Amino acid sequence: MIKIILADDQPAVISGVQKYINEMPGYMVVACVSTIDELAMRLRDTPCDMLITEFSMPINRIGAGCALLNLLHNDYPSIDLIVLTMLDIPAVLYQISTVGVRGLIHKSDEIAELGKAIHDGTRTTPYIGRSVQRLLRKGPSGKLPTRREAEVFKMYVVGNSLREIAHSLNKSVKTIGLQKSSAMKKLGLRNDIELGRYCCTMERIRHVA
């Protein structure tokens, strides 16, 4: 019997997923939690083989999702992870898909997509749900930012203006703006808010990959 913990801050999601899994032969839900702290406690006192979780609880706290990945990677490496999320930032979804998850499913997908992730996904070949696939096609483009673009990224996110970056790197403001825009396009980032969230995520996920 494969034992599963569910983690999500939306009761309706927990209820629906629990009912679906308990109808699957060979699988059972052994605990349901709604916060990272509760999850940490259940991981300590409730043996399980798989965790199905929202990446961040609440949804806008990307850092919490990164902390979760670190916790699992460092303390519970044998537990398989399936991420069931409402995130729609292609670059962040891409990074999640590359750090050893068994599946990545969007909450807008049919529940059967979760079943496919449970049955067919592996850490080396994760099952990616249809909605996530559509989001990923919007970016990243498959190309990584250049070294200079990454440098501009870092300087911009910590609060430097394009003019200040241009002065520091001895480049024109136009050149710096183009480098920033090019990097964002490669990563599928739509605005400065997503850029900041992505850079935060990259910094924390780097310790997991």
Side-chain angles (χ1 to χ4, degrees):
M1 182 69 68
I2 302 298
K3 299 177 181 179
I4 299 175
I5 291 179
L6 303 181
D8 200 290
D9 62 337
Q10 298 179 348
V13 172
I14 288 286
S15 177
V17 173
Q18 182 175 16
K19 182 177 184 298
Y20 177 77
I21 291 174
N22 284 339
E23 292 176 353
M24 295 172 58
Y27 296 86
M28 67 179 296
V29 175
V30 294
C32 300
V33 301
S34 60
T35 70
I36 294 292
D37 290 340
E38 287 179 332
L39 175 57
M41 288 189 289
R42 293 293 77 77
L43 288 172
R44 287 195 297 267
D45 62 26
T46 306
C48 74
D49 306 293
M50 183 181 297
L51 169 64
I52 300 175
T53 181
E54 169 61 78
F55 178 64
S56 47
M57 299 179 289
I59 187 64
N60 62 339
R61 290 181 56 200
I62 296 241
C66 299
L68 170 61
L69 290 178
N70 276 297
L71 173 68
L72 292 171
H73 176 74
N74 294 327
D75 297 340
Y76 305 96
S78 65
I79 295 177
D80 286 328
L81 174 64
I82 293 177
V83 175
L84 179 64
T85 186
M86 281 296 292
L87 281 172
D88 62 354
I89 304 174
V92 175
L93 291 171
Y94 175 76
Q95 292 303 324
I96 295 172
S97 74
T98 64
V99 293
V101 300
R102 181 167 176 159
L104 178 56
I105 308 297
H106 198 270
K107 288 181 180 177
S108 63
D109 279 320
E110 296 290 336
I111 192 69
E113 291 288 282
L114 178 60
K116 292 177 182 178
I118 292 172
H119 286 299
D120 302 334
T122 68
R123 296 189 186 193
T124 54
T125 309
Y127 183 86
I128 307 299
R130 293 182 180 181
S131 294
V132 175
Q133 291 183 39
R134 287 194 292 270
L135 288 164
L136 289 175
R137 282 195 286 269
K138 299 179 181 179
S141 66
K143 298 179 181 179
L144 295 175
T146 65
R147 180 185 61 81
R148 180 50 58 86
E149 288 171 347
E151 185 177 11
V152 169
F153 247 35
K154 183 176 180 180
M155 296 176 71
Y156 186 81
V157 169
V158 298
N160 294 287
S161 67
L162 295 181
R163 187 173 299 278
E164 289 170 333
I165 298 172
H167 177 75
S168 176
L169 300 180
N170 197 28
K171 299 290 183 179
S172 70
V173 174
K174 181 178 180 180
T175 296
I176 296 300
L178 288 173
Q179 289 173 332
K180 170 178 170 285
S181 297
S182 175
M184 291 180 67
K185 183 177 181 181
K186 289 176 181 178
L187 294 169
L189 300 172
R190 297 169 293 192
N191 51 52
D192 284 357
I193 294 175
E194 290 187 358
L195 171 59
R197 293 172 73 187
Y198 171 74
C199 289
C200 169
T201 305
M202 282 294 293
E203 182 62 27
R204 293 183 175 91
I205 282 182
R206 190 173 293 116
H207 299 293
V208 181

